[in-house]
């Protein structure tokens, strides 16, 4: 929707003593039906070093230390994942198809794992320059070498055994090789650059070229050493529900067999996904980048046995083109003199090119320091062509060499740098215009917002189209003919799995005067009011968009005011419109925001309580981060950013979407669950329950040194479950486990996120009489972790939560239910009839394709009008609250309906989406200021987040949110 904040993020504000959040009761037909306003936030709560309390407490001296024998607790045994308690029964049954394929096996043969070490010619005949063997690391070269080993030594050393090789250090066979230690030597054409001529030639020329390559080919020594015996029978044990780490080794063997199968067909391998430009037409994304469609494939143990999960996948490729043309497109400039060569080096390093003048292949390592006409290199020549004279070394420019010596005219390269395709200490320069990028190379840098949008739009497939693509891929690959799978006695069915699912009924929602059950995962605010509407006093509009005229802005402001009024959100008259002057539009974003602030101070009689900001671009405005930092962190002014593409589209629906976000930010509630309003949610309404969502946002590709942002949001105002508050921290780059859940300080305080959120819950909840305020139950949703990290979540993050609880009050240990939500998986559900539409909203599957032992299920709450819906895969790691299967699944489904900025059910629970929004928005804060200055400016107080995870530089802290907005849904 076009009113979404930039980058899909929220903004923020809510009720506090110094902001506009006067909450009005929603219209009601019966007394006492309206939700009470949130209680005022009391002053600092004295629980950081003592029990929960809102009253000042006498600080007691610390107890004496325990004797060593009592103080040292025995280490706790590692927790294991919760076993599936049963299957749900709620909902109506439905027949489904799934992109899994049954795998049958019998009399499984053991596999043998061998370590592979490949060293180059210098490692065979001696040592290289630094005294070490030259070990080969290129996967492409390693595969060529092992193919040669099989060709030469297949009948002798390998005993005619097929093997699966991962391209690195592992090789697998069915049954053992003749010897536990095999050593052999092969010769490969000079790979030092694939400097092989390409194209066609006469048979005699080809043979002569081949002979020359063999003469200068490099020798490689291959050492194959026995490592372990892998019992494939462990797969049967896992399918029967047993816990077995060894089964992962067996699955790895099968996955490597699939990779080798794809490698021999010429596919580009990216982990468990395989791509080829012949699989489907390339997708033009702009900027010199194309999308290449392929498929992901992996074996998975399920309740119905082993299955092969296949899904359509897409990766980005560098477009085959001349290097200069690619750089112009990639940087969006119209001539080579505008190219940023520093950025060009980052993009092109490691890219393979072919020369146009002699059709040879090289790999780029960088650029020359000087332009082609000035870049010198040394070459040996004989004076005046006299063959009897000794060779002399002379310096010549790259330009002169190609023009005069090679008789190759250069039209564009004289004043441009050269490509360096040599080695670090031995450069080899080529003029740019003579180089062309070879096809089939991945583009690993971050995509622009336009490229991402184009990729999404052009990669969409209707469910029936996706099914046909997958069935065709199964036929083309014909896995049942793979010699290794046949040797393992494994056979793959070529039909989609049929399974039984259920469709959960949508929860009934409560609005101001009425209740309504959404249809097809959707609802609207026509003739409805917000369940708890706020009141906004002084407000103004700031516009950075020069395309929208002043009168249009004023009209939109009045229409927004009227639209909010119809929904119950009362807004005073707008104080005025602030427009950026033409002289400021070319300034840097920070200065533009500062000048807008100065204009606001000079023109408005008093600071506004709310600001509507009109940005010039959707999703990618450089102004977004500086604007948010200035008004959320420095000034504490609630604001909402919009970027209407076309004023004609600013209709009532658009303004209603904006109104929903504004109301959530200033402390209101748009809609709630009817059972939430009536305090009838099983388990949750009985005892104080805090619902938590956790996520980590990493820096974009190409920015490996950017700190990661961890965000934890928690519910507040219990017995409600629809309002949330966020706690956000920076942490070490690319670290997935959240580091600051528990952060004890030398002073005795806990600066962690869990403590902060528990205190907020305690202060904001509205318990019935004689019910305590501190949460007795926790439901924790964790996003963004893979199955291999579940143990860390249970034994690192969960333990940190326990420690934070015990720190805030000795012996305090609420019961915890911990659930991981996975969206980045490859299971898709289709209607059983195979029609063009998606599965119905509320479709749930907890049998057949789920884990044979662990408690997991697939849930698709959302409607899927475009493309193929992706269900969210939920894994219940721990359930100390003893939910019934139905109650837990219905709760998870309902939490997809409490997302305050939307009138549709979302694909996963709201707290996880809020955590993602909070982390992403705070990432914009870091972009708004120089990281090195942030690190030096940030306070070194007790809230500092220490660096960790092997990160050498200090992790910069986030700017602190202003006290007016820190307790609000600023991210909504």
């Amino acid at each position: 929707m076009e009113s979404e904040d930039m980058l899909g993020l929220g903004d923020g504000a809510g009720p506090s003593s110094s902001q506009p959040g006067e909450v009005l009761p929603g219209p009601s037909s019966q007394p006492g039906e309206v939700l009470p306003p949130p209680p005022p936030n009391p002053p600092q709560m004295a629980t950081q070093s003592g029990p929960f309390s809102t009253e000042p407490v006498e600080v007691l001296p610390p107890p004496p230390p325990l004797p060593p024998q009592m103080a040292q607790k025995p280490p706790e045994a590692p927790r294991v994942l919760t076993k599936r308690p049963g299957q749900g029964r709620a909902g109506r049954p439905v027949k489904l198809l799934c992109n899994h394929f049954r795998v049958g096996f019998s009399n499984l043969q053991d596999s043998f794992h061998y370590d592979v070490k490949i060293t180059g010619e210098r490692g065979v005949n001696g040592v290289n320059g630094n005294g070490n063997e030259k070990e080969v690391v290129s996967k492409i070269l390693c595969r060529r070498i092992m193919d040669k080993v099989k060709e030469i030594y297949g009948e002798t050393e390998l005993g005619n055994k097929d093997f699966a090789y991962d391209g690195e250090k592992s090789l697998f066979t069915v049954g053992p090789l003749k010897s536990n230690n095999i050593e052999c030597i092969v010769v490969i054409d000079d790979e030092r650059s694939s400097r092989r001529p390409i194209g066609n030639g006469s048979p005699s020329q080809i043979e002569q070229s081949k002979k020359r390559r063999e003469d200068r080919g490099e020798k490689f020594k291959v050492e194959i050493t026995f490592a372990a015996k892998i019992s494939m029978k462990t797969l049967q044990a896992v399918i029967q529900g047993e816990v077995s780490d060894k089964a992962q080794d067996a699955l790895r063997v099968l996955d490597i067999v699939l990779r080798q199968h794809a490698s021999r067909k010429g596919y580009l391998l990216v982990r468990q996904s395989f791509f080829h430009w012949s699989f489907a037409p390339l997708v033009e994304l702009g900027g010199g980048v194309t999308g290449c469609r392929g498929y992901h494939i992996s074996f998975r143990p399920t309740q119905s046995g082993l299955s092969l999960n296949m899904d359509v996948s897409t990766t980005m490729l560098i477009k085959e083109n001349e290097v200069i043309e690619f750089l112009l497109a990639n940087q969006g400039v119209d001539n080579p003199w505008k190219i940023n060569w520093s950025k060009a080096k980052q993009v092109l390093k490691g890219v393979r090119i072919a020369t146009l003048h002699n059709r040879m292949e090289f790999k780029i390592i960088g650029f020359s320091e000087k332009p082609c006409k000035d870049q010198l290199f040394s070459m040996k020549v004989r004076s005046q062509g006299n063959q009897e004279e000794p060779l002399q070394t002379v310096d010549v420019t790259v330009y002169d060499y190609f023009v005069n010596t090679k008789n190759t005219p250069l039209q564009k390269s004289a004043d441009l740098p050269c490509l360096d395709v040599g080695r670090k200490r031995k450069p080899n320069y080529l003029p740019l215009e003579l180089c062309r990028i070879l096809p089939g190379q991945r583009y690993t840098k971050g995509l622009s917002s336009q490229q991402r949008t184009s990729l999404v739009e052009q990669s969409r497939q209707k469910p029936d189209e996706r099914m046909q693509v997958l069935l065709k891929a199964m036929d083309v690959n014909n896995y049942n003919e793979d010699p290794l799978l046949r040797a393992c006695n494994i056979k793959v069915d070529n039909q989609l799995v049929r399974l039984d699912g259920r469709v959960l009924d949508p929860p009934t929602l409560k609005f101001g005067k009425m209740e309504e059950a959404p249809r097809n995962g959707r609802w609207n605010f026509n003739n409805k009011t917000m369940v708890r509407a706020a009141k906004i006093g002084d407000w103004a509009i700031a516009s950075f968009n020069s395309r929208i005229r002043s009168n249009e802005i004023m009209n939109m402001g009045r229409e927004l005011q009227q639209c909010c009024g119809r929904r119950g959100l009362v807004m005073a008259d707008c104080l005025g419109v602030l427009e950026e002057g033409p002289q400021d539009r070319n300034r840097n974003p920070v200065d533009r925001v500062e000048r807008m602030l100065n204009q606001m101070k000079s023109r408005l009689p008093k600071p506004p309580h709310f600001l509507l900001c009109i940005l010039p671009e959707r999703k990618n405005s450089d102004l977004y981060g500086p604007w948010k930092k200035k008004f959320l962190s420095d000034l504490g002014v609630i604001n909402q950013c919009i970027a209407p593409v076309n004023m004609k589209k600013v209709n009532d629906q658009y303004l209603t979407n904006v109104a929903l976000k504004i109301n959530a930010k200033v402390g209101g509630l748009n809609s709630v669950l009817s059972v939430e309003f009536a305090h009838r949610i099983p388990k949750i309404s009985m005892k104080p329950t805090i619902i938590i969502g956790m996520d980590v946002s990493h820096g974009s590709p190409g920015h490996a040194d950017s700190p990661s942002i961890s965000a934890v949001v928690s519910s507040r105002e219990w017995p409600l479950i629809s309002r949330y508050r966020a706690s956000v921290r920076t942490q070490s780059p690319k670290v997935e486990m959240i580091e600051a859940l528990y952060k004890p300080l030398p002073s005795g305080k806990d600066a962690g996120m869990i403590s902060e959120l528990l205190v907020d819950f305690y202060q904001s909840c509205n318990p019935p009489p004689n019910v305590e305020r501190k949460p007795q139950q926790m439901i924790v949703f964790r996003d963004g972790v893979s199955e291999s990290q579940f143990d860390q979540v249970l034994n690192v993050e969960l333990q940190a939560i326990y420690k934070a609880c015990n720190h805030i009050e000795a012996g305090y240990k609420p019961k915890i239910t911990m659930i991981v939500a996975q969206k980045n998986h490859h299971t898709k559900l289709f209607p059983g009839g195979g029609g063009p539409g998606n599965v119905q909203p509320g479709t749930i599957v907890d049998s057949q394709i789920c884990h044979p032992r662990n408690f997991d299920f697939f849930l698709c709450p959302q409607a899927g009008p475009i493309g193929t819906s992706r269900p969210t895969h939920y894994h219940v790691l721990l359930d100390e609250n003893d939910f019934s299967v139905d109650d837990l699944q219905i709760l998870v489904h309902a939490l997809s309906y409490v997302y305050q900025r939307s009138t549709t059910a979302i694909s996963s629970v709201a707290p996880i989406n809020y955590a993602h929004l909070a982390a992403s928005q705070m990432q914009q804060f870091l972009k708004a200021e120089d990281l090195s200055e942030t690190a030096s400016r940030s306070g070194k107080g007790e809230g500092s987040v220490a660096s960790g995870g092997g990160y050498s530089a200090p992790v910069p802290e986030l700017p602190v949110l202003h006290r007016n907005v820190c307790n609000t849904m600023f991210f909504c």
Side-chain angles (χ1 to χ4, degrees):
M1 96 187 106
E2 293 180 350
S3 65
E4 287 186 3
D5 257 9
M6 312 312 295
L7 300 174
L9 310 177
D11 315 4
S16 80
S17 58
S18 58
Q19 54 183 12
E22 177 186 348
V23 178
L24 301 179
S28 172
S29 58
Q30 296 181 5
E33 184 182 359
V34 180
L35 289 172
N41 289 327
Q44 180 61 37
M45 178 177 155
T47 60
Q48 293 288 342
S49 57
F52 289 99
S53 172
T54 55
E55 301 295 332
V57 295
E58 180 183 357
V59 179
L60 300 177
L66 293 173
Q69 65 272 20
M70 295 180 63
Q72 295 179 357
K73 294 183 178 179
E76 294 186 8
R79 289 182 175 269
V80 296
L81 274 62
T82 294
K83 187 176 180 180
R84 183 184 302 278
Q87 293 177 349
R89 298 184 177 182
R92 60 185 185 278
V94 63
K95 297 293 184 181
L96 303 168
L97 290 169
C98 178
N99 61 336
H100 286 228
F101 298 85
R102 299 286 185 214
V103 177
F105 55 84
S106 61
N107 191 25
L108 285 169
Q109 302 297 307
D110 289 336
S111 293
F112 287 75
H113 177 201
Y114 293 86
D115 289 331
V116 176
K117 182 179 180 181
I118 303 176
T119 49
E121 185 175 29
R122 297 175 191 176
V124 175
N125 298 328
V127 294
N128 60 14
N130 58 15
N132 297 319
E133 287 188 343
K134 181 188 174 186
E135 192 164 350
V136 181
V137 295
S138 166
K139 289 185 180 180
I140 295 176
L141 178 54
C142 284
R143 289 188 185 277
R144 287 185 65 206
I145 293 169
M146 293 307 296
D147 286 343
K148 197 76 169 181
V149 167
K150 184 176 181 181
E151 177 186 331
I152 297 175
Y153 299 95
E155 294 184 2
T156 55
E157 301 291 342
L158 302 182
N160 284 322
K161 276 196 176 296
D162 286 303
F163 59 77
Y165 175 56
D166 69 352
E168 295 178 333
K169 296 181 180 294
S170 294
L171 179 146
F172 300 90
T173 63
V174 178
L177 296 175
K178 286 184 176 181
S179 171
N180 287 344
N181 294 281
I182 297 173
E183 184 176 305
C184 47
I185 294 176
V186 296
V187 178
I188 300 292
D189 296 349
D190 188 4
E191 177 72 11
R192 247 188 313 278
S193 64
S194 319
R195 291 187 203 172
R196 56 189 185 277
I198 58 177
N200 298 320
S202 67
S204 61
Q205 290 173 330
I206 294 173
E207 286 302 315
Q208 291 173 8
S209 174
K210 181 179 177 183
K211 180 66 169 60
R212 285 196 300 270
R213 291 201 305 272
E214 289 176 350
D215 290 343
R216 65 170 183 259
E218 184 173 358
K219 293 181 180 178
F220 294 93
K221 180 170 73 171
V222 180
E223 300 171 78
I224 303 174
T225 309
F226 173 74
K229 180 180 177 180
I230 299 174
S231 173
M232 303 300 286
K233 295 181 175 62
T234 55
L235 291 175
Q236 186 65 52
V238 169
I239 291 168
Q240 292 173 352
E242 299 180 15
V243 179
S244 173
D245 293 334
K246 293 182 178 179
Q248 293 302 319
D249 295 332
L251 289 172
R252 180 177 173 231
V253 172
L254 297 181
D255 285 340
I256 289 173
V257 170
L258 296 181
R259 284 178 60 81
Q260 179 161 288
H261 184 94
S263 173
R264 288 174 175 168
K265 287 182 173 290
Y267 283 87
L268 172 66
L269 309 183
V270 184
R271 294 180 292 278
Q272 288 303 120
S273 295
F274 315 130
F275 304 93
H276 200 280
W277 32 104
S278 65
F279 186 75
L282 293 175
V283 176
E284 182 63 53
L285 303 182
V289 182
T290 57
C292 181
R293 188 171 291 169
Y295 57 91
H296 167 94
I297 192 163
S298 61
F299 287 97
R300 300 192 64 84
T302 70
Q303 292 155 300
S304 299
L306 194 63
S307 73
L308 191 65
N309 178 206
M310 176 183 281
D311 192 23
V312 177
S313 184
T314 304
T315 193
M316 278 63 68
L317 300 180
I318 298 177
K319 189 174 182 179
E320 181 185 8
N321 204 345
E322 293 184 14
V323 170
I324 292 180
E325 296 302 319
F326 166 76
L327 291 176
L328 293 176
N330 187 250
Q331 298 192 13
V333 294
D334 55 6
N335 68 67
W337 321 120
K338 297 180 180 179
I339 291 174
N340 182 319
W341 298 104
S342 176
K343 290 182 180 178
K345 180 179 178 180
Q346 293 177 356
V347 171
L348 288 179
K349 188 174 183 180
V351 172
R352 291 178 292 113
I353 56 97
T355 55
L356 300 177
H357 63 293
N358 60 5
R359 296 189 296 179
M360 301 177 80
E361 295 181 20
F362 299 90
K363 182 180 289 186
I364 300 172
I365 69 167
F367 290 95
S368 62
E369 295 180 0
K370 298 178 181 179
C372 184
K373 67 180 181 181
D374 299 326
Q375 183 62 55
L376 295 170
F377 73 99
S378 299
M379 64 180 293
K380 292 182 178 182
V381 297
R382 287 182 171 52
S383 59
Q384 298 180 353
N386 190 340
Q387 298 297 320
E388 298 179 359
E389 289 290 329
L391 291 171
Q392 296 180 1
T393 300
V394 298
D395 289 338
V396 63
T397 67
V398 177
Y399 183 87
D400 288 340
Y401 172 77
F402 277 92
V403 172
N404 300 323
T405 305
K406 290 293 186 179
N407 295 320
T408 304
L410 299 177
Q411 306 296 328
K412 309 174 185 176
S413 301
D415 296 307
L416 301 178
C418 305
L419 282 180
D420 185 356
V421 295
R423 299 191 181 92
K424 188 173 183 180
R425 297 183 181 179
K426 190 178 180 181
N428 182 13
Y429 298 120
L430 292 172
L432 276 174
E433 67 185 273
L434 298 182
C435 302
R436 183 177 182 86
I437 295 173
L438 290 168
Q441 300 181 78
R442 288 186 69 207
Y443 182 80
T444 58
K445 309 304 176 185
L447 296 179
S448 67
S449 59
Q450 292 93 338
Q451 288 173 322
R452 286 196 299 269
T453 301
S454 179
L455 178 64
V456 170
E457 290 177 351
Q458 298 190 60
S459 298
R460 287 180 180 136
Q461 286 180 308
K462 293 180 180 179
D464 55 334
E465 293 175 358
R466 185 176 292 255
M467 285 190 287
Q468 294 306 314
V469 168
L470 296 176
L471 291 171
K472 179 181 176 182
M474 285 296 295
D475 288 339
V476 169
N477 283 286
N478 194 14
Y479 290 111
N480 290 328
E481 295 302 318
D482 185 277
L484 273 174
L485 291 179
R486 293 177 67 181
C488 290
N489 294 321
I490 287 178
K491 188 173 182 179
V492 183
D493 191 5
N494 61 358
Q495 295 299 315
L496 297 168
V497 164
R498 295 187 174 273
L499 64 155
D500 298 320
R502 293 173 287 125
V503 179
L504 300 178
D505 293 330
T508 302
L509 298 181
K510 169 69 178 174
F511 302 94
K513 287 184 176 180
M514 59 184 295
E515 295 184 353
E516 180 180 287
R519 292 186 176 184
N520 198 33
R522 296 177 176 274
W523 62 98
N524 59 54
F525 266 83
N526 296 337
N527 303 317
K528 300 185 185 73
T529 55
M530 298 161 177
V531 72
R532 187 171 81 196
K535 180 179 180 180
I536 294 177
D538 299 326
W539 68 286
I541 302 175
S543 175
F544 292 93
N545 194 326
S546 60
R547 299 188 302 272
I548 304 178
R549 298 189 297 271
S550 299
N551 64 322
E552 292 178 313
I553 297 173
M554 286 299 298
N555 288 338
M556 183 179 67
R558 284 191 292 270
E559 291 173 0
L560 176 63
Q561 182 186 28
Q562 295 166 4
C563 176
C564 289
R566 290 193 294 272
R567 314 297 174 228
L569 173 60
V570 178
M571 299 180 74
D573 291 336
C574 179
L575 293 177
V577 175
L578 311 172
E579 293 185 271
E580 183 180 42
Q583 70 278 7
D584 294 334
R585 290 171 192 152
N586 293 326
R587 296 180 179 272
N588 69 68
V590 174
D591 286 346
R592 293 173 70 182
V593 170
E594 196 65 41
R595 285 178 173 266
M596 183 66 77
L597 174 61
N598 292 336
Q599 185 185 163
M600 183 185 77
K601 290 178 179 178
S602 63
R603 289 189 51 195
L604 300 185
K606 53 185 176 179
H609 292 143
F610 170 75
L611 273 172
L612 180 69
C613 177
I614 304 176
L615 295 174
E617 303 99 12
R618 273 190 83 217
K619 303 282 187 184
N620 62 339
S621 176
D622 292 334
L623 292 161
Y624 185 83
W627 175 268
K628 287 299 181 182
K629 179 184 177 299
K630 175 60 67 176
F631 286 93
L632 293 184
S633 178
D634 300 347
L635 302 176
V637 177
I638 307 156
N639 60 93
Q640 170 70 43
C641 293
I642 62 173
V645 177
N646 188 334
M647 289 301 294
K648 294 180 180 179
K649 295 185 178 180
V650 181
N651 52 23
D652 186 68
Q653 180 180 349
Y654 181 100
L655 295 175
T656 298
N657 292 335
V658 175
L660 296 179
K661 296 178 182 180
I662 294 173
N663 190 53
K665 292 177 172 103
V666 296
L669 276 170
N670 302 322
S671 61
V672 297
L673 304 173
S674 293
V675 289
E676 171 188 7
F677 182 85
H679 305 168
R680 295 200 312 269
I681 304 177
K683 284 190 177 288
I684 291 176
S685 298
M686 302 173 189
K687 299 178 182 178
T689 303
I690 185 171
I691 299 177
I692 290 174
M694 307 196 304
D695 190 22
V696 177
S697 174
H698 302 296
S700 58
H703 297 83
D705 58 342
S706 297
S708 296
I709 306 288
S710 56
V712 182
V713 303
S714 66
S715 59
R716 61 197 317 260
E717 301 179 34
W718 181 82
L720 295 182
I721 61 171
S722 292
R723 277 199 66 77
Y724 290 81
R725 188 230 199 242
S727 180
V728 190
R729 301 285 195 278
T730 50
Q731 65 181 40
S732 306
K734 307 303 179 187
V735 172
E736 186 57 51
M737 291 298 110
I738 300 177
E739 297 178 338
L741 294 174
Y742 174 58
K743 210 75 178 176
L745 302 172
S747 65
K749 294 183 179 180
D750 174 14
M753 293 188 278
I754 294 298
S755 176
E756 177 184 331
L757 296 173
L758 286 173
V759 170
D760 176 75
F761 180 93
Y762 188 90
Q763 293 174 339
S764 69
C765 74
N766 299 296
N770 303 320
V771 176
E772 60 179 315
R773 302 167 68 90
K774 65 182 179 184
Q776 300 177 34
Q777 300 176 143
M778 278 189 183
I779 303 172
V780 181
F781 290 95
R782 179 65 159 95
D783 189 23
V785 292
S786 63
E787 293 178 33
S788 63
Q789 295 170 311
F790 287 177
D791 286 340
Q792 286 179 279
V793 173
L794 276 179
N795 295 293
V796 177
E797 292 185 344
L798 178 63
Q799 297 308 313
I801 295 174
Y802 283 138
K803 291 176 182 177
C805 293
N806 190 67
H807 188 117
I808 203 168
E809 183 177 287
Y812 172 51
K813 190 176 182 181
K815 293 183 177 181
I816 296 178
T817 297
M818 179 163 274
I819 304 171
V820 168
Q822 288 182 331
K823 290 171 282 190
N824 189 24
H825 62 85
H826 294 276
T827 294
K828 299 290 193 301
L829 303 175
F830 308 101
N838 274 300
V839 295
Q840 302 172 61
T843 298
I844 189 169
V845 173
D846 61 358
S847 63
Q848 295 173 268
I849 59 169
C850 292
H851 196 277
R853 176 194 179 275
N854 301 335
F855 186 6
D856 68 331
F857 56 91
F858 293 91
L859 175 61
C860 190
Q862 78 277 19
I866 301 174
T868 303
S869 296
R870 183 196 301 269
T872 298
H873 192 184
Y874 290 98
H875 304 259
V876 184
L877 307 190
L878 175 71
D879 183 23
E880 295 178 336
N881 292 299
D882 296 326
F883 278 94
S884 71
V885 175
D886 280 334
D887 283 349
L888 185 61
Q889 292 177 347
I890 290 172
L891 172 65
V892 171
H893 183 225
L895 284 172
S896 299
Y897 282 78
V898 301
Y899 195 52
Q900 293 298 301
R901 54 187 258 152
S902 176
T903 55
T904 62
I906 56 176
S907 61
S908 59
V909 292
I912 277 182
N913 280 267
Y914 287 146
H916 177 72
L917 291 178
S920 299
Q921 183 159 141
M922 298 306 284
Q923 194 83 257
Q924 299 301 309
F925 276 37
L926 290 183
K927 292 180 181 178
E929 54 184 29
D930 182 79
L931 295 186
S932 61
E933 292 181 3
T934 305
S936 61
R937 270 203 311 269
S938 296
K940 306 303 180 188
E942 295 177 338
S944 297
V945 179
S947 63
Y951 186 49
S952 57
V955 177
E957 288 185 50
L958 288 169
V960 177
L961 286 171
H962 195 280
R963 62 187 178 89
N964 288 359
V965 299
C966 64
N967 290 334
T968 69
M969 294 179 70
F970 69 88
F971 43 81
C972 192

